[in-house]
């Protein structure tokens, strides 16, 4: 999804190889875990509103299901690639393991741009995706969810198509559904809130008060919005936020020393997380170049847009004021940038721990679907906070015990859990 030379799957494999070496993992288990268990590639024909037929390519990758059904989102993006989906499926395996929920790792994608498709065309893509994959997903096999540029409505169309095919109610086939239609309260804000729960714990560790801490966020979509929401409620100030403007085909950063407020952000973004420049002007936010988010003199950086956003070209631009990077996005930091972050002694909450709030709440959604009994929002968020805090503490303890980078510590916990499950099952 980023530049041609960047391959997220190679990056995911490099991260894995480094930790497998540190863990002394045997060669068979390494070979088994560095690639997905299975993947599906298919075509989805769509009758366009103008009467023509267009064919969209779809993918579903199940990286590992030794600890439970595969779990992971479906993304709609014009630059989606199978290697991006493979990388994200792999990270889902480590993510479900690090928060210790009984699920594996999967991911899906369709090469399409929903910003340029009508609702009817998008519905056909959703239903077509399920028709191709229905036999290979399900509450006991693989459970999709929303991700970049997919939403509750897409999930509901997908669930409906699956139920048509199976001839029965299956709310647990997919998560991220609307509340009242099998969705869980708290799911919309779960990923962003999870970013803040781990940020809170990290700030405690490095002795910085959340109240008054300043933050710059890359992205203005679901994760960024709810990260900002809880940061604001916790007394921190978000001084800059960025987005991709699809009309201008470039990114912008919006900065405000007084702080960007959640209510203003919600009033200024469209459903794809693009900030309306006129609204930004009305609120007095300064419009800067898209790359400016990383150069802000703040305490915390939150990349919450997409992969490969902190890399060898821009990592040195991070100011000395930055003490923490909380990775809301998946794969935002390249291994080259990781080396610099370690040298600068910036504390890092790695992606598959930091943004695990979404999948944890998706797991709660499935539990509620299975019981056909739904919890109050507070109950969901309290359970989410407990899971995220426990996971953070375990990773941080491992980092101290083994004297390793937080990303490596998170990998050590996850890889060990997954490798043990594969071994116990007799797979390796
Ligand atoms: P989204 O589609 O709601 O928002 C993405 C945001 O990133 C948009 O505001 C877009 O304008 C912005 N963006 C894209 N390219 C940009 C660029 N070059 N510069 C600045 N901004 C840019 O997506 P989301 O759900 O918020 O997901 C964001 C990231 O978090 C992704 O990496 C996703 O995989 C990850 N994630 C999401 C969830 C979830 O529950 N939504 C869970 C875990 C991880």
């Amino acid at each position: 999804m980023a530049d041609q030379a960047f391959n997220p799957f190679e990056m995911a494999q490099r991260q894995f190889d480094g930790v497998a070496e540190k863990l002394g993992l045997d060669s068979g288990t390494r070979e088994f875990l560095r690639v997905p268990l299975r993947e599906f590639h298919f075509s989805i024909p769509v009758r366009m509103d103008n009467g023509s037929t267009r064919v969209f390519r779809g993918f579903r990758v199940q990286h590992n299901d030794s600890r439970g059904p595969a779990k992971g989102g479906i993304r709609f993006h014009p630059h989606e690639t199978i290697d991006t989906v493979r990388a994200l499926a792999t990270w889902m395996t480590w993510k479900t393991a690090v928060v210790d929920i009984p699920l594996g790792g999967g991911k899906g994608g369709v090469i399409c741009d929903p910003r340029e498709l009508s609702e009817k065309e998008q519905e056909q893509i959703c239903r077509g995706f399920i028709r191709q994959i229905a036999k290979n997903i399900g509450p006991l096999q693989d459970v999709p969810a929303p991700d970049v540029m997919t939403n509750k409505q897409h999930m509901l169309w997908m669930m409906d198509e699956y139920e048509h095919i199976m001839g029965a109610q299956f709310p647990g086939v997919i998560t991220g559904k609307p509340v009242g239609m099998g969705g869980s309260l708290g799911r919309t804000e779960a990923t962003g809130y999870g970013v803040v729960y781990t940020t809170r714990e990290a700030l405690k560790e490095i002795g910085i008060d959340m109240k008054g801490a300043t933050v710059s966020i890359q992205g203005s979509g679901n994760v960024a919005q709810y990260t900002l929401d809880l940061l604001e409620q916790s007394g921190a100030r978000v001084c800059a936020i960025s987005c991709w403007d699809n009309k201008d085909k470039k990114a912008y950063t919006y900065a405000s020393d007084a702080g960007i407020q959640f209510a203003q952000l919600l009033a200024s973004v469209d459903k794809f997380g693009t900030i309306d420049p006129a609204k930004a002007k009305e609120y007095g936010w300064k419009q800067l170049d898209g790359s400016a988010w990383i150069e802000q003199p703040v305490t915390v950086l939150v990349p919450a847009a997409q992969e490969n956003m902190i890399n060898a070209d821009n990592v040195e631009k991070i100011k000395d004021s930055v003490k923490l990077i909380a990775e809301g996005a998946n794969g935002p930091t390249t291994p080259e940038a990781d080396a610099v972050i370690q040298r600068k002694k910036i504390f890092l909450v790695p992606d598959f721990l930091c943004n695990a709030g979404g999948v944890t709440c998706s797991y709660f959604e499935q539990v509620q679907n299975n019981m056909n009994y739904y919890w109050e929002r507070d109950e969901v968020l309290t359970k989410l906070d407990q899971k995220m805090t426990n996971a953070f503490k375990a990773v941080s303890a491992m980092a101290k015990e083994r004297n390793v980078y937080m990303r490596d510590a998170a990998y050590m916990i996850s890889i060990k859990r997954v490798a043990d499950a594969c071994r116990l099952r007799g797979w390796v």
Side-chain angles (χ1 to χ4, degrees):
M1 307 222 354
D3 60 273
Q4 291 295 315
F6 173 73
N7 183 323
F9 187 48
E10 281 170 12
M11 175 169 128
Q13 289 186 316
R14 273 172 72 188
Q15 291 171 339
F16 170 77
D17 291 343
V19 178
E21 188 65 36
K22 285 196 178 100
L23 282 174
L25 212 61
D26 65 277
S27 62
T29 309
R30 277 189 212 197
E31 200 182 330
F32 186 64
L33 292 179
R34 29 192 344 265
V35 290
L37 259 179
R38 54 188 95 83
E39 51 183 61
F40 306 90
H41 300 219
F42 41 85
S43 293
I44 306 170
V46 169
R47 180 66 46 83
M48 305 298 284
D49 293 350
N50 66 8
S52 67
T53 298
R54 256 182 81 185
V55 179
F56 295 89
R57 285 299 282 171
F59 312 110
R60 185 73 189 168
V61 173
Q62 294 162 356
H63 173 261
N64 191 281
D65 55 13
S66 60
R67 291 172 37 90
K71 183 89 195 80
I74 297 173
R75 313 183 359 145
F76 285 176
H77 201 282
H79 302 142
E80 193 62 279
T81 68
I82 183 62
D83 273 342
T84 309
V85 180
R86 286 178 181 135
L88 290 160
T90 310
W91 285 322
M92 284 306 297
T93 300
W94 312 138
K95 194 181 298 192
T96 52
V98 83
V99 282
D100 204 9
I101 54 179
L103 295 168
K107 206 76 173 191
V110 179
I111 307 173
C112 71
D113 192 341
R115 293 166 294 203
E116 288 163 12
L117 295 169
S118 70
E119 291 276 298
K120 207 166 131 227
E121 290 161 347
Q122 291 179 49
E123 179 176 348
Q124 288 181 72
I125 293 182
C126 291
R127 293 189 185 276
F129 188 99
I130 294 300
R131 283 203 288 276
Q132 293 302 324
I133 196 76
K135 288 192 188 68
N136 303 100
I137 61 166
L140 303 177
Q141 281 170 278
D142 178 9
V143 184
D147 207 297
V148 172
M149 287 205 275
T150 53
N151 57 38
K152 299 178 179 126
Q153 178 62 71
H154 296 121
M155 298 305 111
L156 199 62
W157 285 326
M158 289 186 182
M159 180 195 83
D160 185 67
E161 188 65 25
Y162 185 81
E163 292 184 344
H164 269 294
I165 294 168
M166 307 310 280
Q169 299 268 326
F170 276 97
V173 67
I174 214 154
T175 58
K177 302 177 293 291
V179 171
M181 295 297 294
S184 174
L185 290 167
R187 177 61 185 89
T188 305
E189 54 271 50
T191 306
Y193 278 24
V195 169
V196 181
Y197 298 144
T198 55
T199 295
R200 179 195 65 207
E201 296 305 311
L203 286 175
K204 266 189 222 161
E205 279 224 14
I206 54 180
I208 294 175
D209 199 347
M210 172 81 100
K211 284 198 177 63
T214 51
V215 185
S216 173
I217 304 180
Q218 187 193 36
S220 310
N222 171 267
V223 179
Q225 289 164 16
Y226 289 93
T227 298
L228 189 147
D229 175 22
L230 194 55
L231 282 171
E232 184 183 306
Q233 289 182 47
S234 314
R237 186 157 43 93
V238 175
C239 300
I241 191 153
S242 71
C243 71
W244 177 258
D245 190 317
N246 205 44
K247 193 159 51 63
D248 295 357
K249 303 280 181 233
K250 62 183 289 216
Y252 292 109
T253 300
Y254 292 94
S256 161
D257 287 342
I260 288 165
Q261 282 160 26
F262 178 60
Q264 294 175 329
L265 181 64
L266 276 198
S268 67
V269 284
D270 66 12
K271 64 177 176 176
F272 299 111
T274 301
I275 294 173
D276 176 357
K279 278 274 178 204
K281 201 168 174 195
E282 185 187 320
Y283 296 137
W285 305 343
K286 229 183 304 161
Q287 191 186 59
L288 307 172
D289 193 69
S291 60
W293 77 278
I294 204 171
E295 302 169 18
Q296 299 301 305
V298 290
T299 324
V300 183
L301 291 178
V302 182
Q306 49 173 291
E307 59 275 11
N308 189 26
M309 293 287 119
I310 305 181
N311 51 42
D313 296 336
N314 64 6
V315 65
E316 294 289 359
K317 294 185 178 152
I318 296 176
K319 294 276 187 288
D320 289 343
S321 61
V322 173
K323 304 294 177 223
L324 168 69
I325 297 175
E327 296 184 324
N330 287 312
T333 309
T334 64
E336 292 74 22
D338 265 336
V340 177
I341 291 167
Q342 285 184 75
R343 194 195 71 218
K344 283 175 173 264
K345 295 200 178 355
I346 300 173
F347 195 95
L348 178 113
V349 186
D351 51 1
F352 64 91
L353 167 64
C354 192
N355 67 33
V359 73
T360 304
C361 195
S362 277
Y363 163 61
F364 294 158
E365 181 175 331
Q366 257 205 321
V367 171
Q368 294 170 80
N369 292 154
N370 291 342
M371 293 190 297
N372 204 7
Y373 173 78
Y374 291 84
W375 304 333
E376 296 299 331
R377 179 174 180 270
D378 277 356
E379 187 172 354
V380 174
L381 293 177
T382 304
K383 285 184 162 68
L384 182 65
D385 193 350
Q386 269 168 358
K387 269 276 177 209
M388 296 297 294
T389 303
N390 288 346
F392 175 91
K393 286 186 173 159
V395 172
S396 160
M398 173 70 90
K400 284 194 198 108
E401 188 189 313
R402 301 284 296 257
N403 193 24
V404 291
Y405 190 43
M406 280 287 281
R407 189 183 316 283
D408 289 351
Y411 265 115
M412 282 176 169
I413 290 178
S414 298
I415 293 173
K416 186 172 179 323
R417 282 182 183 155
V418 177
D420 284 351
C422 294
R423 215 170 292 124
L424 284 167
R425 282 176 178 273
W427 291 356
V428 288

